[in-house]
Amino acid sequence: MARQRGMRRLRVAAALGSLVAGLLVTVGTSQAATQGPCDIYASGGTPCVAAHSTTRALYGSYTGSLYQVRRSSDSATRDIGPLGAGGVADAGAQDSFCANTTCLITVIYDQSGRNNRLTQAPPGGFNGPAPGGYDNLANATAAPITVGGHKAYGVYVAPGTGYRNNNTNGVATGDQPEGMYAIFDGTHYNGGCCFDYGNAERNSRDNGNGTMEAIYFGNIKVWGYGTGNGPWIMADLENGLFSGINPGYNANDPSIGHRFLTAIVKGEPNHWAIRGGNAQSGGLSTFYNGARPNASGYNPMKKEGAIILGIGGDNSVGARGTFYEGVMTSGYPSDATENAVQANIAAAGYSTGSGSGGTGLTPGSTVSLRATTACCTGRYLHHTGSTVDTAVIAGGSSSTEKGNASWTVRAGLGNSSCVSFESRNTSGQYLRHRNFQLYLNANDGGSTFAQDATFCPEPGRNGQGASLRSVNYGDRYVRHYVNLGYIANTSGSNTFDSPTLFDDDVSWVVASPWAS
Ligand code: AHR
Ligand code: AHR
């Protein structure tokens, strides 16, 4: 009896063992089958012909390199891959390779297998600022985020930065159909030409209407625009950014500024569309779907099939923005395919990580902002009446002075993905710029005030704390200059736009509040 029970137990154990093994096989198979955006496009009959991302693999089975960084200390390069098949980028590998030096992103590999990688853009109709007229490469640590809880870095395009491939394989030419999407930072843009991702000229020059088909993001109004003050998703079709069928204004293209923005442009013979949505949640909206523009030269199209990132077709280098991932397809993707891609993007879990911009500026918290320039490390951003300045604050300072140097972080009045600063002492009064100087004023409820009082946190430009980028003057940051507050850049003509000590002056340690 005892022996029989023993045998039965063994048989049960064996059966359970094979059941567990079977389950493991099933789990293993379903993991391997996890889809990326390019698997979804392929199922829809419109496969990716270029797949670029510094943040994650875009195929469920992709294990190759995502991008390459080069460090300044010894010019060595390092390829960065995903943590696992289909996974998020191994940012830790970049961090250890770039420890105690700076790194640039030298290559954004093509995951599609067609070798349509992006590298430093060469000169064209316009020269870039780097030697030989090339564009600058992006700083590899300037756009930190998390994806699915893992740290990753985007491609931070300051004006002058650009990537390109003029010798591609499989990208649409002529009037051939194609689709594309990209994920951008919807709070980082400007009115320069042209923050683009997509199809452009193979000689980096303006070859006439219809020789491009790229996603544009920003608020330049020279060609097209939509409702509100921008930014808008538009199509760069060369010598024109189009927001719909008309050159100029189209009422269906909204201002759109999600912190993580999905932007789509697609085109086929006499038909094209613009779509967009929040890359963190929800679906896509269609902002245009119809015939080619009411302007000559865009039907049929004369696409050339080069790929650009961060620049215009003729290497115009005036624009800024941030890119996380993007693809181009062969064939015109269906809306249903793109909707499934958007669901995949939302599930990937893009986030700014802990606190806004990873800087600890979380709405609801109260902070003091300490200057980091060597002159002034005992000074805090402060207001004297309505004038914003810096002041030395210490334990013995009066409670009024401590309150005048304490700010309650609010969701940005002009863009909830960014922040506003309400005076701890004077509720209802916010830090805002006027004529590029900072003041403390009561919120008048208007849209100009809301924009002037909204700042997008980024990692501090000198490596400490946070830098606060103006949402409506995206090349300007909160700066102290001779102890007064401004929004400044390094190219303006104001004395406070001086490049000397700029990075230090715009970097603020986010400290515990003097008055909580
Ligand atoms: O179409 C807008 C811009 O015009 C293109 O990007 C550029 O090539 C040209 O200057
Ligand atoms: O600070 C720059 C601009 O100056 C602000 O947007 C506006 O308030 C003023 O015209």
Side-chain angles (χ1 to χ4, degrees):
M1 266 307 269
R3 198 161 169 268
Q4 273 179 359
R5 264 206 303 272
M7 286 299 290
R8 210 179 301 133
R9 244 183 256 131
L10 274 177
R11 276 198 300 271
V12 169
L16 274 175
S18 60
L19 188 65
V20 169
L23 279 174
L24 283 177
V25 167
T26 316
V27 169
T29 315
S30 71
Q31 271 178 355
T34 299
Q35 292 202 313
C38 286
D39 301 304
I40 296 167
Y41 278 113
S43 311
T46 50
C48 294
V49 292
H52 301 118
S53 177
T54 55
T55 65
R56 64 171 184 143
L58 300 174
Y59 293 83
S61 61
Y62 189 77
T63 54
S65 296
L66 300 175
Y67 63 106
Q68 182 190 72
V69 293
R70 187 177 68 215
R71 64 187 177 198
S72 60
S73 53
D74 61 358
S75 295
T77 58
R78 171 78 177 260
D79 286 341
I80 307 296
L83 290 165
V88 175
D90 184 2
Q94 176 183 314
D95 287 343
S96 38
F97 182 72
C98 303
N100 303 315
T101 182
T102 54
C103 273
L104 300 173
I105 297 174
T106 35
V107 182
I108 306 166
Y109 291 104
D110 172 19
Q111 303 175 32
S112 79
R114 291 179 177 268
N115 199 24
N116 290 324
R117 60 176 63 177
L118 295 170
T119 57
Q120 188 171 19
F126 294 93
N127 280 351
Y134 276 71
D135 295 353
N136 289 335
L137 293 165
N139 178 330
T141 53
I145 50 152
T146 62
V147 181
H150 300 285
K151 186 176 181 187
Y153 293 102
V155 183
Y156 187 94
V157 172
T161 309
Y163 293 83
R164 192 168 194 124
N165 186 326
N166 280 342
N167 186 21
T168 59
N169 165 2
V171 179
T173 57
D175 210 21
Q176 287 175 343
E178 67 176 347
M180 60 196 86
Y181 85 84
I183 301 179
F184 300 136
D185 176 347
T187 71
H188 187 206
Y189 58 89
N190 71 1
C193 176
C194 290
F195 184 72
D196 287 354
Y197 173 74
N199 195 322
E201 298 90 339
R202 286 177 182 257
N203 62 356
S204 303
R205 289 170 194 282
D206 179 346
N207 292 336
N209 298 3
T211 55
M212 294 178 65
E213 185 166 71
I215 307 168
Y216 165 82
F217 179 67
N219 67 346
I220 193 169
K221 288 182 81 169
V222 170
W223 293 283
Y225 55 98
T227 56
N229 295 318
W232 303 281
I233 304 168
M234 298 191 274
D236 191 343
L237 304 180
E238 188 50 275
N239 299 316
L241 304 175
F242 290 91
S243 56
I245 194 158
N246 303 308
Y249 179 66
N250 289 282
N252 278 332
D253 201 25
S255 295
I256 188 164
H258 301 292
R259 174 62 180 78
F260 295 99
L261 172 72
T262 308
I264 288 182
V265 164
K266 53 184 169 178
E268 62 180 347
N270 199 21
H271 184 208
W272 67 289
I274 305 174
R275 308 184 74 206
N278 182 347
Q280 291 181 295
S281 63
L284 296 169
S285 302
T286 300
F287 304 137
Y288 181 71
N289 176 10
R292 290 290 179 184
N294 288 325
S296 67
Y298 299 101
N299 183 33
M301 292 289 284
K302 307 166 200 78
K303 301 174 219 182
E304 295 195 15
I307 306 175
I308 53 173
L309 171 60
I311 47 178
D314 57 5
N315 198 44
S316 296
V317 285
R320 60 167 58 247
T322 303
F323 172 91
Y324 300 105
E325 64 177 66
V327 312
M328 300 173 68
T329 68
S330 161
Y332 190 87
S334 68
D335 284 2
T337 295
E338 290 166 346
N339 296 345
V341 168
Q342 164 67 8
N344 175 283
I345 291 168
Y350 272 90
S351 167
T352 54
S354 56
S356 192
T359 54
L361 290 166
T362 312
S365 63
T366 302
V367 300
S368 287
L369 297 167
R370 185 174 64 72
T372 62
T373 316
C375 59
C376 301
T377 54
R379 289 184 167 271
Y380 290 80
L381 192 68
H382 163 276
H383 65 93
T384 301
S386 63
T387 300
V388 172
D389 50 17
T390 61
V392 175
I393 308 289
S397 301
S398 71
S399 57
T400 305
E401 278 296 272
K402 287 177 176 171
N404 288 348
S406 300
W407 305 90
T408 302
V409 182
R410 301 293 182 199
L413 299 173
N415 184 323
S416 60
S417 295
C418 300
V419 296
S420 293
F421 295 93
E422 185 178 5
S423 163
R424 178 70 187 80
N425 264 1
T426 330
S427 67
Q429 303 226 0
Y430 290 81
L431 185 72
R432 63 84 59 98
H433 62 84
R434 193 172 65 235
N435 295 323
F436 306 120
Q437 184 165 351
L438 290 173
Y439 297 94
L440 185 77
N441 285 161
N443 181 3
D444 64 13
S447 66
T448 301
F449 186 92
Q451 295 278 311
D452 290 353
T454 300
F455 303 92
C456 302
E458 293 178 359
R461 290 178 58 111
N462 71 352
Q464 296 182 61
S467 289
L468 302 166
R469 184 165 44 74
S470 160
V471 79
N472 54 346
Y473 290 84
D475 61 341
R476 291 183 173 272
Y477 291 83
V478 169
R479 176 183 198 173
H480 62 95
Y481 191 82
V482 197
N483 303 332
L484 285 178
Y486 300 93
I487 55 165
N489 61 23
T490 52
S491 53
S493 54
N494 311 288
T495 50
F496 55 79
D497 292 326
S498 164
T500 308
L501 297 175
F502 180 84
D503 285 351
D504 290 338
D505 289 352
V506 300
S507 299
W508 303 87
V509 166
V510 179
S512 301
W514 281 107
S516 49

